[in-house]
Structures are given as C-alpha cells and as structure tokens.
Amino acid sequence: MNFKPRCIPAELQVTQYLNWRMSLSPKEHSYYLNLEKGFIGEQRVDEWLKNLSEDWLILDDLLLECNGTVFQIDKVLISNQKIYIFEVKNYEGDFYIEADNWYTLSGTEIMNPLRQLQRSESLFRKLLQELGYHCQIESYIIFINPDFQLYQAPRDLPIIFPTQLNRFLNKLVTISPKIKDKHIKLAKHLVSLHIHTSPYKRTINYNFDNLKKGIICTQCHSFIAEFHKNVLICDSCGYKEKVTSAVLRSIEEYLFLFPEKKLTANAMYEWCEIIPKKTIYKILSKNFKIIGHGKYSHYLR
C-alpha cells in the first residue's frame, strides 16, 4: 500500500518549464538534467518494486526534519520486522573507490553517497525514537542504471548493484510484512511530518517578461504555431490536442510558475499567445470562478 506516492518534485517541474521557455545557463541546464535523471532513476525503482505485496507500506520521497536538520529519503518500506530505506542513484558509467573516497574513472572525485545514506539513516532512527517507535532499520543505496560499474568496492557495503536487483527483489517478495495498526499509524505520522518545500532548493531568476509565450506541445515540447478552432496541431511532431485541454494545461503551468499572480484573461491571452481572447474567456468561465467585474476581474479555482 503506497501511503505517499511519488510526484514530480516542484524544483524539477519549475526547471523543466523554464528550460522550455528560456535559455538556461550551462550550469543551470546541467542542474536541470541532473534533477531529471535523478527522478527517472526513482521512477525506475518504483517500477522495479511494483510487484511487491500490497501488504507493504511504501512512502516515496520523504523530506523530514530531526533536531533542526532536514534530510530526504527516496523510498521507505515498512514491515512488521524492519523498515527498509533506499537511497536511489541513477549513476551511469565507471567509478571506483579509493581510501573511502569515490571517483569517476577519469579521476574526478564525487560525493560519497554512503555518507549521505548513513546521515539519513541516523537522523531517521533518531526521529523514530522521538516519536516513540523503536524499529530495526536496514538501509541501502540502489544503483538502478544498468550501465553503472563500481570498482574496488568492499564486499560489505550496503549497496544493491544493477546485477543484484532481481535477487534482492526476490528476497523482499518472500517477506510477509504482517502489518499491524501501529505500522499504519507510523506511516501516517511520517506523511504528516513531510516537508513540502525544501529549504535547500536552488532558484533560477525569471519573470513573466523574459519567458517565451505560447502553448508547448505536450509530446515534443515545441511551441505550437497555429490555432485551428477546436484542435491544436504541432508542426514539429504532428500531435493533435483539443484547444481546451491545451489551454488548461498552459494555465496550470502559469499558476505553477507565478503563484503570486492573479489569473486574468489578459494574462492568459498573452501567455497562450495564439489563442483568441474570446476562447480564453470561454475556457476560464467554464473552469474557474470569476471574481470582480471588468478590467479588475480575475479567476479562482
């Protein structure tokens, strides 16, 4: 039972939208690709574990705080015997360990993911104790990318390599979670403590004026050039989408990027660019509640 399904992180969503509508700096674009790659890896782990018994309690992407320190856990599995916590890495290529440090094959040092795992496990254990739970915890780094290779790794590291995924899953499948009310209570408690906005997120400077306007194709992310009454057709890939669906999607994008701004017909007319104002009014009136009158009116959900 998934108590907290995975959602696309807000930071990735914002960066993705900005990547489509403005030119990111090389550093910003690299950061966006890393966020995207990490999320894809987490989705692969979700898919890998989809055949686990429904009796398991699963929590994805928890952001918690203990003793004033914020920490993140990619996946938590709760059974009656122990709690598994997974740190997911979508690394690709060849790496090696030397004197407890991690390097790419070219010799570039990277952050040791085991330290991150140890930190998360320690803080998670303290948090559980503060909440009155005393559980056995088993933690692992899951390397989900089949093109990952780590050399000179000690045999006793808490790591699941790509070639070990099936065997590890078979081990989990044989476990009967035997969930009780106290475990469900714990899962609900952890979800209630989840922090929705990370204090460590990076920001990219942007404003309404410096973003490219128009409706983005949901398939290839090109900008759609023409309005055809009830249907929009992408010139780049040929994908067809109903106008109402495309406009509502663009409105959601606008509200996500500019939560402080009011939703107005004029703003949406400028944001969507190729959609006639009459159509914008019609879609807003059907799907949102109008507040006020005339030029000072705006819309709410």
Side-chain angles (χ1 to χ4, degrees):
M1 184 187 306
N2 199 323
F3 263 76
K4 184 184 176 297
R6 190 178 311 284
C7 300
I8 181 169
E11 192 174 5
L12 172 57
Q13 186 73 84
V14 167
T15 313
Q16 188 176 69
Y17 287 152
L18 296 180
N19 182 58
W20 296 337
R21 293 188 178 271
M22 64 183 284
S23 295
L24 300 180
S25 70
K27 186 175 181 180
E28 291 168 342
H29 191 257
S30 176
Y31 180 61
Y32 159 61
L33 293 179
N34 285 335
L35 286 176
E36 186 176 56
K37 187 173 183 180
F39 183 64
I40 290 171
E42 291 166 4
Q43 288 180 309
R44 287 178 178 172
V45 169
D46 297 341
E47 182 69 16
W48 169 58
L49 292 173
K50 71 178 183 178
N51 291 326
L52 275 185
S53 163
E54 279 291 313
D55 295 331
W56 286 90
L57 300 182
I58 302 175
L59 298 92
D60 292 326
D61 197 21
L62 278 176
L63 190 63
L64 302 168
E65 181 179 353
C66 180
N67 296 337
T69 302
V70 174
F71 63 102
Q72 190 258 346
I73 300 177
D74 292 329
K75 186 175 284 286
V76 175
L77 302 180
I78 299 176
S79 74
N80 70 322
Q81 295 179 347
K82 64 180 67 172
I83 296 177
Y84 294 87
I85 65 176
F86 296 156
E87 174 70 26
V88 179
K89 295 299 181 187
N90 195 16
Y91 292 177
E92 185 176 1
D94 297 320
F95 299 79
Y96 67 92
I97 298 176
E98 191 173 277
D100 200 36
N101 295 319
W102 288 51
Y103 301 88
T104 65
L105 206 57
S106 63
T108 302
E109 185 174 358
I110 65 168
M111 185 181 297
N112 184 339
L114 290 169
R115 293 176 190 147
Q116 181 181 351
L117 181 70
Q118 292 162 358
R119 174 181 178 272
S120 296
E121 180 182 338
S122 175
L123 289 167
F124 188 64
R125 181 176 286 105
K126 287 179 183 177
L127 177 61
L128 292 183
Q129 291 170 354
E130 289 178 3
L131 297 175
Y133 297 95
H134 300 276
C135 309
Q136 184 181 352
I137 298 173
E138 204 167 295
S139 60
Y140 295 94
I141 298 176
I142 306 291
F143 287 101
I144 195 65
N145 196 313
D147 293 323
F148 170 80
Q149 179 65 51
L150 180 65
Y151 298 97
Q152 300 172 198
R155 288 181 297 173
D156 59 348
L157 295 182
I159 289 175
I160 307 299
F161 292 102
T163 54
Q164 299 173 313
L165 289 170
N166 288 337
R167 274 173 285 159
F168 187 77
L169 180 58
N170 290 336
K171 171 188 169 183
L172 293 178
V173 168
T174 62
I175 297 173
S176 178
K178 296 180 181 177
I179 293 301
K180 299 178 181 178
D181 288 344
K182 65 179 181 180
H183 303 112
I184 295 175
K185 181 181 177 182
L186 169 59
K188 290 180 177 179
H189 208 155
L190 291 172
V191 171
S192 73
L193 294 174
H194 172 67
I195 301 169
H196 293 277
T197 303
S198 171
Y200 305 123
K201 69 177 184 179
R202 303 183 190 181
T203 57
I204 298 173
N205 292 325
Y206 66 94
N207 56 59
F208 185 82
D209 292 333
N210 72 358
L211 297 184
K212 186 176 180 180
K213 311 301 187 294
I215 292 182
I216 297 170
C217 173
T218 189
Q219 297 299 302
C220 70
H221 307 131
S222 301
F223 281 85
I224 298 173
E226 296 182 32
F227 169 77
H228 298 280
K229 196 173 181 180
N230 296 320
V231 176
L232 297 179
I233 303 173
C234 177
D235 290 339
S236 298
C237 71
Y239 181 74
K240 297 179 181 180
E241 184 179 11
K242 290 184 178 180
V243 169
T244 298
S245 170
V247 170
L248 289 175
R249 182 167 50 79
S250 297
I251 288 172
E252 291 301 323
E253 183 184 346
Y254 171 85
L255 292 173
F256 198 91
L257 288 172
F258 304 103
E260 76 288 351
K261 287 184 178 291
K262 290 182 177 180
L263 177 59
T264 67
N266 284 336
M268 287 304 94
Y269 176 61
E270 185 176 354
W271 182 249
C272 294
E273 195 170 64
I274 64 170
I275 308 298
K277 188 173 285 188
K278 182 179 178 181
T279 304
I280 294 288
Y281 273 119
K282 184 178 179 181
I283 292 172
L284 285 172
S285 299
K286 265 193 170 184
N287 295 276
F288 297 87
K289 180 182 178 182
I290 190 167
I291 305 295
H293 302 280
K295 65 179 181 180
Y296 298 106
S297 66
H298 62 282
Y299 295 83
L300 295 177
R301 296 183 189 277

